[in-house]
Amino acid sequence: QSALTQPASVTGSPGQSITISCTGTSGDVGGYNFVSWYQEHPGKVPKLMIYDVNKRPSGVSYRFSGSKSGNTASLSISGLQAEDEADYYCSSYTNSRNSYVIFGGGTKLTVL
Amino acid sequence: QVQLVQSGAEVAKPGASVKVSCETSGYTFTGYYLHWVRQEPGQGLEWMGWINPNSGVTKYAQRFQGRLTLTRDTSITTVFLYLGRLRSADTAVYYCARVGVGATDFEFWGQGSLVTVSS
């Protein structure tokens, strides 16, 4: 099963806002509100930033928000900070017999 | 607090098997599914399978069917990953992960276990 589609890279300046997209199908992103987003710094463990499309776990900054339209989910980060520079992965429940959760290929966010 | 502590790095030869453990604490072991996710060097995340620690029921990604076995020992609140018929492409960091409030949000992660497959 193919991974969810994310842009390979996104760039922003401190203080700006960016959005990362995550495109799937009606069998995953479009069919269920079980989209999550993870932040991964080099050599570190992935950190859950958004779950169930638009919910933030305790302790995650309000600058991170999620949304979904059709088969595409999005992660938005406002007021970019240098510490936001990381890889970001989306994931979704999938109704495929071949899997249960499918991840995106990841997006490298660079804060210039 | 929820903690997932994994076993250390492993080196295995092609064709061999590897075992990785994930010791849990800080919550009711049988109350949450445990998942395994791997990350090949420089690559993205890949879901491998889950185990229901209460019943022992498992689900595996099709691409690992026949090679992957997940088990648990409730007496020591630990889950185990066994991956057989290893090949070089299995070189990766293997993570155990527990969901948070939902069914697919991996809020808690082990520190990762590097498995290197090399002759």
Side-chain angles (χ1 to χ4, degrees):
Chain A
Q1 179 165 10
S2 300
L4 304 176
T5 301
Q6 297 181 234
S9 63
V10 169
T11 302
S13 300
Q16 286 187 333
S17 299
I18 64 95
T19 298
I20 299 172
S21 62
C22 170
T23 301
T25 69
S26 58
D28 39 67
V29 173
Y32 306 90
N33 289 326
F34 295 135
V35 176
S36 298
W37 290 90
Y38 300 87
Q39 176 191 66
E40 185 182 43
H41 286 109
K44 301 295 187 182
V45 175
K47 177 184 177 182
L48 179 69
M49 305 303 285
I50 296 288
Y51 69 98
D52 291 355
V53 176
N54 56 15
K55 297 181 173 65
R56 275 191 309 275
S58 174
V60 172
S61 172
Y62 69 93
R63 298 186 298 105
F64 291 83
S65 62
S67 62
K68 189 183 83 168
S69 177
N71 294 337
T72 298
S74 298
L75 172 71
S76 297
I77 309 174
S78 62
L80 270 179
Q81 300 178 0
E83 69 211 47
D84 299 331
E85 183 164 299
D87 292 325
Y88 291 84
Y89 294 92
C90 63
S91 74
S92 174
Y93 167 78
T94 173
N95 64 11
S96 167
R97 290 170 51 246
N98 303 330
S99 191
Y100 179 80
V101 166
I102 185 171
F103 285 94
T107 297
K108 169 66 177 176
L109 170 61
T110 301
V111 181
L112 295 176
Chain B
Q1 71 282 21
V2 176
Q3 285 194 306
L4 307 176
V5 179
Q6 299 183 221
S7 49
E10 299 273 0
V11 178
K13 295 190 182 304
S17 300
V18 71
K19 170 186 168 183
V20 180
S21 66
C22 173
E23 181 178 359
T24 74
S25 62
Y27 71 97
T28 302
F29 178 67
T30 53
Y32 298 85
Y33 286 27
L34 260 292
H35 297 248
W36 289 87
V37 175
R38 80 176 189 181
Q39 186 170 36
E40 296 170 40
Q43 301 301 308
L45 302 169
E46 180 177 25
W47 181 82
M48 299 181 69
W50 58 246
I51 182 167
N52 177 342
N54 188 41
S55 63
V57 171
T58 56
K59 179 177 174 64
Y60 305 131
Q62 185 183 49
R63 64 171 295 184
F64 298 108
Q65 287 279 359
R67 294 204 299 138
L68 174 64
T69 302
L70 302 180
T71 65
R72 92 294 191 208
D73 185 334
T74 57
S75 68
I76 54 172
T77 63
T78 299
V79 297
F80 301 93
L81 172 150
Y82 298 84
L83 187 62
R85 302 200 301 277
L86 290 169
R87 36 203 185 237
S88 58
D90 292 317
T91 294
V93 175
Y94 290 75
Y95 293 102
C96 59
R98 202 211 84 175
V99 298
V101 298
T104 61
D105 55 303
F106 304 136
E107 183 170 6
F108 304 98
W109 295 70
Q111 81 276 22
S113 300
L114 174 62
V115 173
T116 303
V117 182
S118 173
S119 55

